[in-house]
């Protein structure tokens, strides 16, 4: 069995982190963030090639900066290669209604032509994959071959980060749809509550 942080999660998180690292004018430094109520589900078709089978994150709430423990498993029945489009839809709960956050400075509900390019920007080709992927010999660049993927329970440190002013308190849900050509390959929806000081 191959091991990796499931491809759908990797691509979705890469898009989110790339959004945060590329945005500037709407960012502010926050000293402490708590992320709680983490929940996820597959939102694609029952026969979607890429699916997440398990994802666990602890503690709840997760403190940023701070330590987090995560494990994940999933599979893809097709090779995921460039160009790998990702559509991200970000919503915030306002007065009991879910409001779509528009795409501002590549953050929010945005379309990315190729998530493989995002991964290459975060981790330049030829550079070792970050831990714990490197220790396990796990890939962090396209193409991701078809197969079963799993990340054993692993510890990470989440550093300080800059957040956009509107992403500091509230309930959020983000949906990422991964596609190749004209076909949807996988869909993941994640919900969290964010509180910052």
């Amino acid at each position: 069995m191959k091991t990796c942080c499931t491809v759908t999660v990797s691509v979705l998180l890469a898009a989110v982190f790339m959004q945060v690292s590329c945005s500037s004018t709407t960012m502010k430094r926050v000293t402490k963030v708590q992320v709680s109520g983490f929940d996820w589900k597959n939102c694609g078709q029952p026969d979607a090639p890429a699916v997440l089978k398990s994802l666990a994150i602890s503690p709840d709430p997760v403190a940023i900066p701070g330590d987090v423990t995560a494990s994940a498993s999933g599979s893809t029945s097709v090779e995921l290669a460039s160009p790998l489009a990702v559509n991200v839809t970000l919503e915030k709960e306002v007065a009991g209604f879910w409001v779509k956050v528009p795409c501002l400075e590549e953050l929010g509900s945005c379309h990315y032509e190729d998530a493989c390019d995002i991964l290459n920007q975060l981790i330049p080709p030829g550079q070792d994959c970050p831990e714990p992927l490197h220790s396990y010999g796990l890939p962090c660049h396209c193409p991701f071959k078809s197969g079963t993927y799993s990340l054993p329970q692993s510890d990470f440190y989440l550093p300080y980060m800059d957040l956009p002013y509107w992403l500091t308190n509230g309930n959020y849900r983000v949906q990422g749809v991964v596609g190749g050509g004209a076909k949807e390959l996988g869909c993941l929806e994640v919900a969290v509550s964010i509180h910052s000081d």
Side-chain angles (χ1 to χ4, degrees):
M1 177 165 77
K2 296 176 185 176
T3 56
C4 182
C5 186
T6 179
V7 176
T8 306
V9 172
S10 297
V11 170
L12 179 57
L13 293 180
V16 170
F17 288 128
M18 189 65 184
Q19 287 179 352
V20 171
S21 65
C22 287
S23 299
S24 57
T25 60
T26 60
M27 295 294 170
K28 73 174 187 177
R29 174 69 63 166
V30 291
T31 57
K32 184 179 178 183
V33 176
Q34 285 194 334
V35 179
S36 61
F38 178 84
D39 193 24
W40 67 273
K41 65 179 180 180
N42 288 298
C43 46
Q45 298 296 321
D47 60 347
V51 294
L52 184 63
K53 296 180 179 178
S54 68
L55 176 60
I57 295 178
S58 63
D60 186 4
V62 172
I64 303 172
D67 296 312
V68 63
T69 301
S71 62
S73 66
S75 65
T76 177
S77 60
V78 298
E79 181 178 82
L80 302 179
S82 182
L84 192 61
V86 178
N87 280 314
V88 176
T89 302
L90 178 65
E91 296 176 302
K92 181 176 183 177
E93 188 176 20
V94 179
F97 297 95
W98 288 102
V99 178
K100 184 176 178 180
V101 177
C103 186
L104 302 169
E105 296 185 12
E106 296 187 30
L107 179 63
S109 300
C110 303
H111 174 75
Y112 303 92
E113 293 292 333
D114 192 359
C116 297
D117 284 343
I118 294 174
L119 290 172
N120 288 339
Q121 291 176 44
L122 291 173
I123 309 161
Q127 182 178 342
D128 287 341
C129 293
E131 294 298 340
L133 301 181
H134 180 69
S135 292
Y136 291 122
L138 307 176
C140 57
H141 292 286
C142 298
F144 293 93
K145 296 181 179 178
S146 63
T148 299
Y149 290 78
S150 65
L151 176 70
Q153 192 171 41
S154 302
D155 296 324
F156 301 87
Y157 177 75
L158 300 176
Y160 289 101
M161 64 178 61
D162 293 332
L163 292 175
Y165 68 92
W166 47 262
L167 189 61
T168 51
N169 288 286
N171 297 324
Y172 297 88
R173 63 186 183 193
V174 59
Q175 181 184 89
V177 178
V178 179
K183 184 176 181 182
E184 181 179 309
L185 301 176
C187 177
L188 181 68
E189 184 175 300
V190 174
V192 296
S193 293
I194 297 176
H195 178 76
S196 66
D197 296 335

